[in-house]
Amino acid sequence: MAPKAVTVTSPAAFPVAFPAVFVLLLLFAPSATAHDYSDALRKCILFFEGQRSGKLPADQRVKWRSHSALHDGASAGVKIVRSQYNSVFAASFGVTVVDLTGGYYDAGDNIKFGFPMAFTTTMLAWSVIDFGKTMGSELGNAVRAVKWGTDYLLKATATNGVVYVQVGDAISDHNCWERPEDMDTLRTAYKIDRNHPGSDVAGETAAALAAASIVFRSRDPAYSRILLNRAVKVAKLWAKVSYFCTIRYRHMP
């Protein structure tokens, strides 16, 4: 199935509000004595680990979660069995391989919305930049939370002139309450391009990549350069497109 090239809604779900709470915890942590804000910060970051999609790492702390949505992106290209073929082989035969695994699920859904995920990643990145020195032992977990988001955003922007902005079908997902490890709902991939603009989500994606490049500037310079170069590429592409707000419209498959 070809990817849906549409303008999509980005609902105001967990990624929009949760980072604000995260930042407030950091702001008030030094002066608070009645509550254990260190524990609250730990649980805030742990929440993001519970929202992870894709193949989970060995150090995953939320042990009741497992791998999920391992074929995300298959609807946007030709599915290749990686044990038999690699992306170089596929490219030589003109096959498009789109990998949209990873990232974060949205709220209690099994959908991945690019706009709120990018905003979440931006806020997480700036939290580390501005308050990392006060995070104590949670700093490493916060940095890993940023990278989990940017790894996905790099995949979503890997195709020239395209930003993948959603994986999953809202109607089928909302009609079926199930954990992501067991989901059998549609995993339709949605994208924006020059013919189907969405400069708001593209701009936020570029902002997330740019902010995260600062987080990794000294921690992982090579990765930081990749993030910054991709941010500039996405920003330049969409700077040429008239502003178009995706959240004014709601399009379903």
Side-chain angles (χ1 to χ4, degrees), residues 3-203:
K4 301 281 187 175
V6 296
T7 305
V8 297
T9 299
S10 293
F14 96 88
V16 176
F18 201 83
V21 177
F22 183 78
V23 172
L24 287 174
L25 285 171
L26 293 170
L27 284 171
F28 291 103
S31 60
T33 56
H35 303 283
D36 189 348
Y37 281 90
S38 295
D39 184 59
L41 177 61
R42 183 186 67 82
K43 290 175 179 175
C44 281
I45 300 174
L46 194 65
F47 172 84
F48 288 101
E49 292 189 23
Q51 297 295 113
R52 284 174 171 175
S53 176
K55 184 175 177 60
L56 303 184
D59 62 355
Q60 169 79 11
R61 294 183 295 167
V62 183
K63 298 300 182 182
W64 48 266
R65 286 295 319 280
S66 186
H67 312 316
S68 61
L70 298 181
H71 300 296
D72 277 1
S75 68
V78 177
K79 184 177 178 181
I80 300 295
V81 180
R82 290 177 181 162
S83 61
Q84 298 178 0
Y85 307 107
N86 57 38
S87 59
V88 175
F89 175 89
S92 67
F93 283 85
V95 175
T96 300
V97 181
V98 180
D99 180 3
L100 296 177
T101 58
Y104 292 109
Y105 293 117
D106 191 89
D109 304 328
N110 295 334
I111 303 177
K112 295 188 292 197
F113 291 107
F115 199 175
M117 193 191 308
F119 174 79
T120 297
T121 304
T122 302
M123 293 295 290
L124 281 171
W126 278 107
S127 296
V128 172
I129 295 167
D130 288 341
F131 305 106
K133 293 182 180 179
T134 66
M135 288 184 179
S137 61
E138 286 303 312
L139 177 58
N141 291 323
V143 171
R144 283 187 283 275
V146 173
K147 191 174 187 297
W148 194 267
T150 53
D151 282 350
Y152 174 81
L153 294 178
L154 287 173
K155 295 177 181 180
T157 57
T159 303
N160 288 332
V162 171
V163 179
Y164 286 95
V165 296
Q166 180 178 326
V167 179
D169 173 72
I171 293 178
S172 62
D173 181 87
H174 292 164
N175 287 337
C176 185
W177 188 266
E178 59 185 350
R179 65 181 196 146
E181 292 85 354
D182 300 326
M183 65 179 166
D184 53 5
T185 51
L186 295 173
R187 300 304 291 169
T188 309
Y190 295 77
K191 68 178 182 180
I192 56 174
D193 53 30
R194 294 188 66 85
N195 296 321
H196 307 86
S199 51
D200 52 354
V201 62

